[in-house]
Amino acid sequence: MAEAETKKEKYELKDYRLAESQQLDLDNLLEVCRNNLQSVDEERISKAFKLCYLSHEGVMRASGEPFYYHPMAVAKIVASEINIDDVSVTAALLHDTVEDTDVSLEDIEEMFGETVAHLIDGVTKISGVFKSRDTKQAETFMKLLLSMAEDIRVVLIKFADRLHNMRTIQHLPRDKQLKIANETMELYAPLAHRFGLFKIKSELEDLCFKVMDPTSYKFIARKLREKKEARESFIEEFMQPIRNQLDEMGYNFEIKGRPKHIHSIFRKMQRQQKPFEEIYDLFAIRIILEDPHSKEDCWRVYSIITDWYTPIPKRFRDFISVPKANGYQSLHTTVITQKGRKVEVQIRTRKMDEIAEKGVAAHWKYKEGSAGSETLEKFIHWVREILDNPRPEAATEFVKDFQLNLYQDEIYVFTPDGELKTLPNGATPIDFAFEIHSEIGERAVAAKVNGKMVPLRKELSVGDQVEIITGNKINLNPDWIDDVVTHKARSRIRQYIKQKEREVVKEGRKIWRKHADRNNIELSEEEMDQVAKKLDFKNSQYLFYDIGNGDYDVKKLVEYAKQFVSKGRIDEEESEKPPRTAQENYEKYYETARARDEGNALLLNGEMTDIKYSYANCCNPIPGDDVIGFISRTGDVKIHRSNCKNTRHLLKTDSERIIDVSWATNIDSKFIGAVKIIGEDRVGLINDLTDVVSKSMKTNMKSINVNSDSGMFEGIMTVFIDDLDHLDRIIKHLKRVKGVKMAVRYE
Ligand code: MN
């Protein structure tokens, strides 16, 4: 009670008058707000400023400055560098009060309303998360997201807070500096990038870099200073004719000799292994057209620039007609000066520039319908989607989603080289393969996702790294049509099915011609159709299709056609069945095709797949053998026993083509097994051996070869068996035959 009284007295702000220097600070803040925000509630900001000053009174920062300098600076960043709104400025002023002073959240709500209290609560929570040391990175992100969901402004204020702390980090002890810089580099900078806060991201990175690698930082900073003058005079010279012409035409614009950020220069030096000079000497100039210049003016400026300098066509990018996903718009071109220097020029309007630098935040300023505001909407929608289905147990996954799943009707996957590909939800490796190249899709035989073999028709998820293993020939399976979602894959598979059908029809027609010529039968297309109809086919195409397929005996057609020609009329006898539909025909075709090409004996990674395979002749694997699959150059998978000597060789030379296979449990096909038998030769031995196999074992024998020499014989017997067990039983029985000394599996 008493405490509440004193607090109320302490923060009775109405009549509180600031000292002169604080009043100047407040005036300055209000000025910044007025210059940068659309509407400014000066009374509320003044009240917040007073509470901020009073509640932190007497507390100093590490720099020795009064503490209120910090929230004030954060408020200014919020107003002038992120341009959010005056509610956020109010919250920024008070962002440390609830945690560090005796002001409670209820107090804030009472004095400033629910929204401000909400924002401060969010910022406090995020700060708490970062302070707990043992928090794993993923969880941190997740909690960060959770608070963001309440209001995206929470995160923006937190960025401003972190930016100011980084700007003043030199006052902290070295160990703290390193810890904060690391955390900023790992968490805040990527997050800022994600939000499209590119300017803040670059500054955060530079500030971190300065702490983490002061030597490299100083080196590059010094180099930049040394080059500054030369750079500026070059830009001036380059721009002179352009500037004159634009002035003449009455253009209102700003030119920025875009300074490269120290950290990004360093990163480029590292990545490209090039000295500072080579990275730095690619000049970049940005021309920003002030309002109300339009995108058409950007094109006019482009045309003026290319009148003066020669553009490199390959380097032209039009992000105005086709903005990037995050709303970025600009024209990019690279031109060559008369002296042969390359200069990159970016042309954009002021609005485009704001969105480019401030990303999501810039939309507060430009709310009206643009490509950008749609992006923001999608973004917020996506955040809500994630938060409506929180899975705290899968924190890592959550981060992955956060980093990649900007739009939830799309998934982002990677090529083996780390290149990002966007696919619709539900896409499979088949879609991915066709997305890379139609040829890859046609030749795909298997897929590796995150290093593991998966069936081609398995659905991909966000962040998967996908590798397609291809054979030399087309392996396209018509059944894939049900497993793809992309237009590209679907249309190619359809086309393939059609083409396949046409080939079969053509083949059937060829067979018919041969027989027709031999029998001197000549039928017109029309007569051919009549014959086909009488033979239960819809038309001659369907008849040829079945002939080409081997489903209809061409001799029957010949007989019938002979009658047709001689009698000029048709025997009605045969037509009982209704004609087959096209669908039935295709189904029949693919059924037989599948039965021919694919067995049912193998599982790929424990699953049935549509993979085509055959058994290696070198080791004749049979069910029960430990086997591996090897994707041959022709696209077939060859099944070898894992202890086959060829396998050992392949593992050394071509291990990426090895895939994991196992036997299915119910296999109805027969395999060939061979047994080597050695013993004493005697009359009737071969008979006894074959009797054991065919009579007592009820097994079909394929062959037996025997060599006898001076009373000894050596033979190889091949038999049709079900599996390894079966073969073992046969060997056991063979060993019992009189005179047999040895019976072993023969490879
Ligand atoms: Mn703070």
Side-chain angles (χ1 to χ4, degrees):
M1 239 357 223
E3 196 193 320
E5 269 315 306
T6 45
K7 212 155 90 179
K8 206 175 173 200
E9 274 167 32
K10 188 172 162 191
Y11 299 131
E12 190 59 72
L13 301 170
K14 226 159 96 190
D15 301 321
Y16 182 79
R17 293 195 65 83
L18 291 165
E20 201 181 332
S21 76
Q22 281 92 51
Q23 186 60 49
L24 281 174
D25 285 338
L26 172 58
D27 289 346
N28 176 261
L29 172 65
L30 288 172
E31 180 71 19
V32 169
C33 289
R34 279 193 293 267
N35 288 342
N36 288 284
L37 303 174
Q38 279 182 333
S39 66
V40 183
D41 185 339
E42 300 200 7
E43 198 184 316
R44 183 164 54 182
I45 290 174
S46 305
K47 200 165 124 189
F49 183 90
K50 286 174 189 172
L51 180 61
C52 163
Y53 173 73
L54 274 176
S55 61
H56 292 294
E57 201 177 13
V59 182
M60 296 293 162
R61 298 197 85 212
S63 60
E65 294 169 326
F67 190 85
Y68 83 93
Y69 275 36
H70 166 66
M72 183 173 72
V74 175
K76 274 187 200 167
I77 293 171
V78 164
S80 65
E81 293 181 54
I82 312 186
N83 300 130
I84 320 177
D85 57 11
D86 60 350
V87 178
S88 306
V89 171
T90 310
L93 281 169
L94 302 170
H95 79 271
D96 279 328
T97 52
V98 174
E99 226 200 335
D100 296 346
T101 76
D102 58 354
V103 177
S104 71
L105 207 57
E106 291 73 40
D107 296 333
I108 302 266
E109 192 172 338
E110 201 181 303
M111 286 188 263
F112 298 95
E114 205 185 338
T115 313
V116 174
H118 225 78
L119 292 177
I120 291 170
D121 188 34
V123 177
T124 311
K125 273 183 190 154
I126 300 181
S127 312
V129 167
F130 281 116
K131 269 183 193 159
S132 59
R133 271 155 202 246
D134 55 346
T135 324
K136 285 199 190 84
Q137 204 193 97
E139 285 162 2
T140 312
F141 262 106
M142 194 173 73
K143 286 177 184 164
L144 189 61
L145 259 181
L146 280 166
S147 48
M148 181 175 69
E150 291 165 22
D151 198 315
I152 206 166
R153 289 175 290 189
V154 167
V155 181
L156 299 176
I157 294 168
K158 189 64 201 168
F159 280 132
D161 181 35
R162 176 53 55 126
L163 184 57
H164 184 246
N165 283 333
M166 282 304 300
R167 280 176 183 171
T168 52
I169 198 168
Q170 70 273 18
H171 302 291
L172 295 179
R174 179 83 185 137
D175 61 327
K176 271 196 178 165
Q177 284 185 21
L178 279 169
K179 186 183 161 282
I180 292 173
N182 260 307
E183 181 187 87
T184 306
M185 201 69 147
E186 268 176 42
L187 302 178
Y188 286 88
L191 205 55
H193 182 81
R194 216 52 228 161
F195 272 77
L197 299 163
F198 301 113
K199 212 175 161 194
I200 288 183
K201 176 224 171 195
S202 304
E203 190 180 343
L204 284 176
E205 280 180 351
D206 273 5
L207 292 167
C208 293
F209 184 51
K210 192 177 178 179
V211 171
M212 293 157 80
D213 186 353
T215 316
S216 304
Y217 180 90
K218 276 180 203 146
F219 170 79
I220 296 171
R222 199 190 69 229
K223 286 270 192 186
L224 279 176
R225 269 197 310 277
E226 285 167 10
K227 298 258 176 178
K228 192 165 178 259
E229 216 167 295
R231 178 187 187 88
E232 278 168 2
S233 74
F234 173 78
I235 289 172
E236 203 37 53
E237 194 187 325
F238 176 86
M239 279 309 295
Q240 196 53 48
I242 312 284
R243 198 191 287 277
N244 289 345
Q245 200 164 340
L246 289 177
D247 282 341
E248 234 169 75
M249 292 167 75
Y251 273 72
N252 187 7
F253 60 95
E254 185 194 349
I255 290 165
K256 282 188 191 167
R258 192 157 54 93
K260 290 243 166 75
H261 289 278
I262 291 178
H263 183 248
S264 82
I265 291 173
F266 177 75
R267 231 180 8 220
K268 277 198 182 128
M269 286 166 62
Q270 297 287 94
R271 210 183 311 132
Q272 301 174 15
Q273 293 289 309
K274 281 182 180 165
F276 171 86
E277 280 71 16
E278 262 179 70
I279 302 292
Y280 181 76
D281 285 353
L282 204 158
F283 280 83
I285 287 170
R286 184 179 298 161
I287 300 169
I288 300 159
L289 301 179
E290 302 294 355
D291 297 338
H293 284 302
S294 62
K295 65 176 182 187
E296 283 75 22
D297 294 318
C298 294
W299 286 100
R300 267 174 222 126
V301 173
Y302 170 76
S303 144
I304 290 167
I305 288 166
T306 50
D307 281 348
W308 280 96
Y309 302 108
T310 315
I312 305 172
K314 264 197 292 187
R315 301 287 297 269
F316 176 73
R317 301 295 295 275
D318 173 11
F319 294 116
I320 289 185
S321 312
V322 188
K324 288 188 189 174
N326 59 20
Y328 178 90
Q329 287 187 296
S330 188
L331 283 184
H332 291 192
T333 183
T334 300
V335 297
I336 300 177
T337 68
Q338 284 80 354
K339 283 177 193 159
R341 269 193 106 155
K342 280 186 202 162
V343 180
E344 189 191 326
V345 186
Q346 302 182 346
I347 309 158
R348 52 175 82 152
T349 63
R350 176 60 68 189
K351 176 180 164 181
M352 293 172 192
D353 190 55
E354 296 250 346
I355 290 173
E357 301 252 291
K358 292 172 182 168
V360 171
H363 298 292
W364 263 267
K365 214 170 168 183
Y366 298 101
K367 273 185 184 138
E368 75 279 356
S370 66
S373 74
E374 200 182 305
T375 309
L376 178 65
E377 246 182 62
K378 275 190 185 176
F379 181 79
I380 289 169
H381 178 69
W382 161 75
V383 170
R384 298 237 175 271
E385 189 81 7
I386 290 182
L387 288 150
D388 284 346
N389 307 292
R391 292 164 300 158
E393 76 284 357
T396 319
E397 230 176 279
F398 206 92
V399 172
K400 207 166 78 171
D401 287 1
F402 173 60
Q403 288 166 335
L404 303 168
N405 201 0
L406 192 57
Y407 307 123
Q408 19 84 46
D409 50 346
E410 291 172 341
I411 56 165
Y412 296 80
V413 296
F414 295 101
T415 67
D417 302 333
E419 197 190 323
L420 200 61
K421 293 276 170 197
T422 311
L423 291 171
N425 238 338
T428 60
I430 306 170
D431 286 303
F432 177 86
F434 279 103
E435 189 62 32
I436 303 278
H437 198 279
S438 58
E439 212 169 284
I440 308 268
E442 287 158 12
R443 287 158 205 270
V445 289
K448 268 187 187 173
V449 169
N450 305 324
K452 270 175 64 184
M453 294 297 308
V454 300
L456 278 173
R457 35 182 66 169
K458 188 186 183 300
E459 217 175 276
L460 294 171
S461 357
V462 170
D464 279 347
Q465 187 153 45
V466 190
E467 184 185 353
I468 300 295
I469 297 159
T470 56
N472 265 356
K473 62 178 189 200
I474 290 186
N475 182 54
L476 208 156
N477 182 339
D479 289 349
W480 286 353
I481 196 79
D482 298 326
D483 302 314
V484 295
V485 292
T486 53
H487 172 75
K488 221 174 183 176
R490 188 163 288 167
S491 68
R492 179 61 192 107
I493 295 167
R494 279 218 189 94
Q495 190 192 339
Y496 177 79
I497 292 173
K498 288 240 171 69
Q499 176 197 331
K500 209 72 196 169
E501 285 161 15
R502 277 198 298 271
E503 278 169 21
V504 176
V505 169
K506 209 172 146 194
E507 177 62 24
R509 194 186 285 275
K510 220 169 94 188
I511 296 171
W512 159 245
R513 282 263 158 77
K514 218 167 71 189
H515 282 81
D517 286 353
R518 210 179 289 156
N519 291 284
N520 279 320
I521 304 169
E522 212 164 311
L523 292 178
S524 67
E525 283 295 311
E526 206 178 308
E527 285 170 323
M528 202 61 232
D529 273 342
Q530 283 180 35
V531 169
K533 275 186 184 135
K534 290 298 174 189
L535 291 172
D536 294 348
F537 292 94
K538 215 171 159 191
N539 58 38
S540 60
Q541 303 290 306
Y542 287 85
L543 174 58
F544 289 139
Y545 184 85
D546 268 18
I547 291 173
N549 222 1
D551 280 347
Y552 190 85
D553 189 351
V554 68
K555 282 173 194 144
K556 275 202 254 174
L557 173 60
V558 171
E559 283 314 303
Y560 196 81
K562 273 183 190 164
Q563 285 176 34
F564 181 88
V565 173
S566 65
K567 292 179 191 168
R569 61 179 180 85
I570 290 103
D571 196 340
E572 305 288 323
E573 213 179 322
E574 282 180 43
S575 43
E576 284 163 18
K577 290 176 286 166
R580 262 199 230 141
T581 63
Q583 183 64 31
E584 282 164 349
N585 262 318
Y586 305 153
E587 275 166 13
K588 196 151 187 282
Y589 166 66
Y590 288 118
E591 215 175 292
T592 48
R594 260 204 303 285
R596 198 172 53 239
D597 296 338
E598 299 160 20
N600 59 350
L602 276 189
L603 303 177
L604 183 64
N605 286 324
E607 284 183 62
M608 283 297 291
T609 59
D610 48 10
I611 201 159
K612 288 179 186 169
Y613 61 84
S614 56
Y615 302 103
N617 291 325
C618 50
C619 55
N620 282 315
I622 56 180
D625 279 336
D626 198 27
V627 283
I628 55 101
F630 176 73
I631 298 155
S632 71
R633 297 275 164 201
T634 59
D636 285 332
V637 174
K638 274 265 183 272
I639 309 303
H640 289 263
R641 289 164 61 180
S642 15
N643 57 1
C644 165
K645 63 177 189 303
N646 286 329
T647 302
R648 286 196 293 274
H649 178 70
L650 293 171
L651 277 169
K652 263 184 232 153
T653 58
D654 256 334
S655 64
E656 79 284 358
R657 291 186 163 257
I658 301 279
I659 59 173
D660 176 27
V661 294
S662 55
W663 298 99
T665 42
N666 48 346
I667 303 163
D668 49 19
S669 35
K670 295 281 178 191
F671 293 81
I672 291 172
V675 187
K676 184 179 186 178
I677 309 157
I678 297 174
E680 289 164 15
D681 200 8
R682 62 176 172 84
V683 179
L685 177 71
I686 291 180
N687 254 341
D688 289 351
L689 291 174
T690 51
D691 273 3
V692 160
V693 172
S694 51
K695 286 191 183 144
S696 22
M697 293 294 299
K698 308 232 178 315
T699 299
N700 286 325
M701 218 176 72
K702 189 171 180 256
S703 65
I704 181 163
N705 290 305
V706 174
N707 287 314
S708 311
D709 186 23
S710 57
M712 290 300 287
F713 89 94
E714 187 181 329
I716 306 292
M717 178 192 267
T718 52
V719 286
F720 292 98
I721 50 159
D722 298 327
D723 53 24
L724 196 58
D725 234 38
H726 189 183
L727 185 67
D728 284 345
R729 284 200 310 275
I730 290 171
I731 290 174
K732 227 182 246 168
H733 277 83
L734 287 171
K735 276 182 179 165
R736 287 186 206 145
V737 173
K738 197 182 152 204
V740 171
K741 299 275 179 216
M742 188 184 107
V744 289
R745 181 172 177 191
Y746 178 74
E747 283 142 33

